[in-house]
Amino acid sequence: MATTIWQRVRAETGEESRESVGARRGVSLRAVVLGIVLAPVIAWFNISIEAIRYAGQPTTISLFPHVLFVLLCLIAVNAVVGRIVPRWRLSPAELMTVYFFTLMTAVMASHDLIEVITPILTYPFKYANPANRWASEVIPYLPKWLFISNPDAVDKYYIGNANFWNARDLRIWTPPLLIWTGFFTVLAFGMFCLNVLLRKQWTERERLSYPLVQLPLELVQPRVPVFQNRPFWLAFAIAAVNDIWFGLNRLFPSIPQPYVRWQTLEQYITTPPWNAIGWLPLAFFPWIVGIGVLLPTDLLFSCWFFFWMWKLQPIIAAYYGWNQIPGFPYVNEQSFGAYMGIALFTLYTARKALAHGFSAIWRGSDGTDAGEALPYRWAALGFLASLTALYLFFLSTGMTGWVIALSLLIYLAISLAVTRMRAELGPPAHDLHDSGPQRLIPLLFGVENLKRQDLVMFAPIQGFNRAYRAHPMPTHIEGLRAAERTRSSMRAMFWVLVFAVFWGTLTGFFVNVHLHYQWGAASKADTPYVSTIFGREPYDRITSLLAGSVSSLQKRNVIWAMMVGFGVTAVLSLFRMNIPNFPFHPVGYAISSSWSLSVLWFSLLVAWLCKVTIMKIGGLRSYQRALPFFLGLVLGECTMGTLWMLVSIFTGTKTFIVWPYG
């Protein structure tokens, strides 16, 4: 899809030149205002469905179904308004501005950011007791200016039935929430500056395809042929009817399901050592098949192939008795090593571009950064200034300097790996649970070498390191790509997305507190009371760390596991560079051990079979003709899935869940 269907048709008709002026109207004030207005709505939807109702997790997949639904609604309204008052019609570039503004706000108010860190700021002050000893071993070391310790405010957050919008509660919550909003804005700004230094290398020299940008780009083009395509509407209808049927089955169980969408297979595997395989879901999502067909064939193959390789490891361990070793086979650590391998490979291939960008600090501009989102000098200085500010922030909390530096390094390395994956291949998920600095640093260096202040500050650090699914860095560089493709200003898009981070974080925090005051994190919110889980996790880890120690053998095993993951990634990367059509992709190896790929593997296998079959039978031309059908599957499920999630929010009844539980 590097050359879209729309581009080919417009080139043939000469329409592109006639609309070029209108297309350049991109990052306009009205587009930004529309994004600002939609941001609180998106935050309300995220938190209502994921934290309050627990009726879906739309921000844990690379393409957010509800944000795509919002884009479809905007396109429909835009078409009607454009016929009535043509000058009010939003250009494709403006639509992409609104899309990425709302997407970035959804990222910040997501399941892996605002929804995690907000309860972490309150939990120990509600649930400290003599058994966990948090009152003496944790709370005295928490910087009070970053947390919510007021007993009344904390009770309201967990019990509910309260109004947040009063002067007293606003005074309690606003200072720490503003501080954390500033923190996340600075963190994102630094990563965005790094994107500027990498963009030309990835886009113009390596010609990465940014697959996740192609779908929204295909939709926003004027008179886009995909909306005039019968296979598109057929697939849209099939997906919509599919979801309506499943939704009615949830509401009225007497209506049979059309098929079994989700089941677990480990219950049927009872013979040793095969029963060591662990959790083994078999799930079918038509819209994931649609997304999968857009992805490279080698990535699709590698995702499901390496998923089974990961599943084979605990079976082998059980057969030889190695499962008696605590933590073996260290899957998380192997995956972390694989991510580090991708990050180092990224730095190596971009070494000249990065050296050129950072050297602009003292040599000035040589004209190669003309048209970039920022001059290279300012991008390099912005990145360094952001790191310095973050370092000083954590230093002010009492953390040790080397722990701060290593924590930031781990986070940035994972962020770089995720961004490269998304720009090159567009994997449908990239979570890497339980592999951030809050876990790895105590594991590698031992609790005895860390101050108590370091340990307790790992709690808020978990707020943006629990998993890495919704992430601002890849979203930003995809936004720059969209601006480039719609011929609007990348500089304007850069600053709009910086503001979107600030606005999305701020509204996400306040919407989160408002909804929890209303429903109660441990009261009227639906089971499993996910906010209490997020709040409890880091403090339970601190308790465990204080009560135990890491043996030298375990440290050695962890390091070896990381080296194995790094080594396999390096070998796969080397083979891909030297062997034509080598089928195994290091990104597939890195992401396939995750929770998300356990759910996605079967749908990606189906997508791989569909794509390989189409290409074998009819080649590229048949694949291009088939694409609208698969786009219809994606948009049909996104539309009906979002509508069912709205029904869940307003009725309090869990209906059909488009992702992940089917």
Side-chain angles (χ1 to χ4, degrees):
M1 288 183 66
T3 301
T4 65
I5 299 170
W6 165 77
Q7 286 176 312
R8 288 188 287 102
V9 171
R10 283 163 59 83
E12 292 169 2
T13 61
E15 192 175 307
E16 186 166 359
S17 61
R18 293 196 299 271
E19 293 182 353
S20 61
V21 175
R24 286 191 174 89
R25 189 179 64 218
V27 185
S28 64
L29 178 61
R30 62 180 184 172
V32 175
V33 170
L34 190 53
I36 291 171
V37 171
L38 287 172
V41 179
I42 293 291
W44 168 82
F45 184 94
N46 282 7
I47 296 160
S48 294
I49 204 68
E50 294 181 336
I52 302 299
R53 292 301 176 203
Y54 202 67
Q57 297 172 9
T59 64
T60 63
I61 201 80
S62 295
L63 278 173
F64 295 176
H66 58 308
V67 179
L68 276 175
F69 173 74
V70 168
L71 178 62
L72 280 178
C73 292
L74 286 174
I75 291 169
V77 172
N78 195 47
V80 174
V81 170
R83 288 181 177 274
I84 300 171
V85 187
R87 69 176 183 276
W88 288 1
R89 183 194 299 270
L90 295 173
S91 71
E94 287 178 303
L95 286 169
M96 291 307 291
T97 300
V98 179
Y99 173 76
F100 275 97
F101 193 106
T102 54
L103 181 60
M104 188 64 80
T105 59
V107 165
M108 301 314 297
S110 71
H111 201 62
D112 290 335
L113 282 169
I114 298 302
E115 293 177 31
V116 178
I117 195 169
T118 311
I120 287 174
L121 303 181
T122 61
Y123 194 86
F125 303 99
K126 172 67 176 176
Y127 291 102
N129 57 57
N132 58 41
R133 295 182 293 181
W134 292 346
S136 60
E137 295 187 347
V138 174
I139 290 176
Y141 300 91
L142 295 173
K144 297 301 185 290
W145 49 283
L146 290 178
F147 291 80
I148 310 298
S149 58
N150 181 277
D152 182 58
V154 171
D155 281 345
K156 290 176 180 176
Y157 186 85
Y158 287 95
I159 297 172
N161 296 316
N163 175 33
F164 172 60
W165 304 102
N166 62 82
R168 182 175 180 274
D169 286 292
L170 285 171
R171 279 196 303 271
I172 293 169
W173 283 89
T174 298
L177 296 189
L178 285 177
I179 292 170
W180 282 110
T181 298
F183 169 85
F184 283 116
T185 304
V186 172
L187 179 66
F189 176 75
M191 292 187 289
F192 295 175
C193 289
L194 186 59
N195 280 341
V196 173
L197 301 179
L198 291 167
R199 192 207 66 82
K200 183 172 285 189
Q201 169 69 25
W202 289 359
T203 303
E204 299 180 14
R205 299 189 185 105
E206 298 185 48
R207 297 187 178 277
L208 303 187
S209 59
Y210 299 86
L212 297 179
V213 184
Q214 299 305 325
L215 176 56
L217 275 175
E218 198 75 51
L219 298 178
V220 302
Q221 308 302 342
R223 288 181 286 281
V224 59
V226 73
F227 288 129
Q228 302 166 13
N229 186 282
R230 289 184 179 179
F232 170 85
W233 288 112
L234 173 63
F236 188 99
I238 290 172
V241 170
N242 175 81
D243 289 9
I244 291 171
W245 195 338
F246 272 105
L248 292 174
N249 166 260
R250 290 289 180 90
L251 294 175
F252 309 103
S254 59
I255 298 176
Q257 291 185 355
Y259 56 89
V260 178
R261 187 178 172 100
W262 171 289
Q263 60 179 318
T264 54
L265 302 181
E266 73 275 7
Q267 59 185 313
Y268 306 113
I269 305 172
T270 58
T271 305
W274 305 103
N275 59 355
I277 195 169
W279 187 52
L280 185 60
L282 179 68
F284 178 69
F285 304 96
W287 73 293
I288 299 298
V289 175
I291 293 173
V293 170
L294 305 178
L295 306 181
T297 308
D298 56 351
L299 176 66
L300 288 171
F301 173 76
S302 298
C303 283
W304 68 261
F305 176 85
F306 283 118
F307 166 79
W308 283 104
M309 294 299 293
W310 289 110
K311 285 296 179 183
L312 190 60
Q313 289 190 22
I315 295 173
I316 294 173
Y319 180 81
Y320 287 103
W322 298 336
N323 56 349
Q324 302 303 311
I325 303 172
F328 195 87
Y330 300 102
V331 169
N332 287 340
E333 290 76 10
Q334 290 185 63
S335 297
F336 175 79
Y339 272 72
M340 294 303 99
I342 293 170
L344 252 65
F345 176 80
T346 300
L347 291 173
Y348 177 77
T349 56
R351 64 193 184 282
K352 293 181 180 179
L354 292 173
H356 180 74
F358 280 105
S359 66
I361 294 174
W362 58 84
R363 63 170 172 78
S365 174
D366 58 2
T368 57
D369 54 2
E372 292 292 335
L374 286 180
Y376 287 156
R377 168 182 281 179
W378 294 111
L381 288 172
F383 175 72
L384 296 175
S386 171
L387 285 183
T388 302
L390 296 170
Y391 181 87
L392 294 174
F393 171 84
F394 283 117
L395 199 64
S396 69
T397 67
M399 290 185 72
T400 307
W402 71 268
V403 176
I404 300 170
L406 188 55
S407 297
L408 292 174
L409 179 63
I410 291 172
Y411 177 77
L412 288 173
I414 295 174
S415 301
L416 181 62
V418 167
T419 305
R420 171 70 192 209
M421 293 176 188
R422 287 266 291 261
E424 182 180 1
L425 299 162
H430 38 76
D431 37 353
L432 194 65
H433 278 82
D434 210 24
S435 296
Q438 75 279 10
R439 178 174 178 271
L440 294 179
I441 292 177
L443 191 59
L444 291 172
F445 296 94
V447 177
E448 65 277 6
N449 294 314
L450 299 171
K451 295 194 311 185
R452 183 67 59 87
Q453 207 70 36
D454 299 324
L455 292 175
V456 298
M457 281 304 296
F458 282 141
I461 285 176
Q462 174 150 329
F464 56 100
N465 283 277
R466 184 179 185 271
Y468 303 91
R469 291 168 290 196
H471 202 294
M473 188 174 177
T475 305
H476 176 264
I477 203 166
E478 289 164 359
L480 296 184
R481 177 61 169 167
E484 180 189 24
R485 290 288 299 278
T486 54
R487 293 168 295 166
S488 60
S489 168
M490 284 192 288
R491 181 163 299 183
M493 181 66 85
F494 177 95
W495 290 109
V496 162
L497 293 182
V498 171
F499 177 71
V501 168
F502 168 80
W503 184 242
T505 305
L506 188 66
T507 55
F509 270 131
F510 280 92
V511 169
N512 185 294
V513 179
H514 160 73
L515 287 173
H516 284 83
Y517 262 50
Q518 180 180 354
W519 296 101
S523 177
K524 293 192 294 180
D526 287 345
T527 55
Y529 305 108
V530 68
S531 294
T532 63
I533 294 173
F534 290 158
R536 182 180 68 246
E537 284 177 339
Y539 299 105
D540 282 348
R541 175 179 282 117
I542 293 170
T543 301
S544 176
L545 289 172
L546 292 174
S549 61
V550 180
S551 68
S552 58
L553 176 62
Q554 188 175 4
K555 291 180 187 178
R556 203 158 50 241
N557 289 343
V558 165
I559 294 171
W560 273 109
M562 292 178 181
M563 291 175 63
V564 168
F566 182 90
V568 171
T569 301
V571 170
L572 292 175
S573 299
L574 184 65
F575 283 177
R576 282 186 60 80
M577 289 189 293
N578 293 281
I579 301 176
N581 301 318
F582 185 70
F584 302 109
H585 203 292
V587 169
Y589 169 73
I591 67 174
S592 56
S593 68
S594 69
W595 180 91
S596 295
L597 262 292
S598 295
V599 182
L600 290 168
W601 73 269
F602 182 72
S603 296
L604 296 181
L605 170 60
V606 173
W608 175 76
L609 290 171
C610 290
K611 187 168 185 177
V612 168
T613 302
I614 292 169
M615 295 292 286
K616 287 280 188 184
I617 293 174
L620 184 60
R621 185 178 295 274
S622 293
Y623 172 67
Q624 290 175 335
R625 284 200 297 263
L627 273 179
F629 180 86
F630 292 100
L631 297 182
L633 289 180
V634 175
L635 295 172
E637 281 224 271
C638 286
T639 298
M640 286 311 306
T642 301
L643 292 175
W644 278 123
M645 286 188 280
L646 286 170
V647 171
S648 295
I649 292 172
F650 287 118
T651 65
T653 301
K654 289 184 183 179
T655 57
F656 171 74
I657 298 175
V658 70
W659 171 260
Y661 300 111

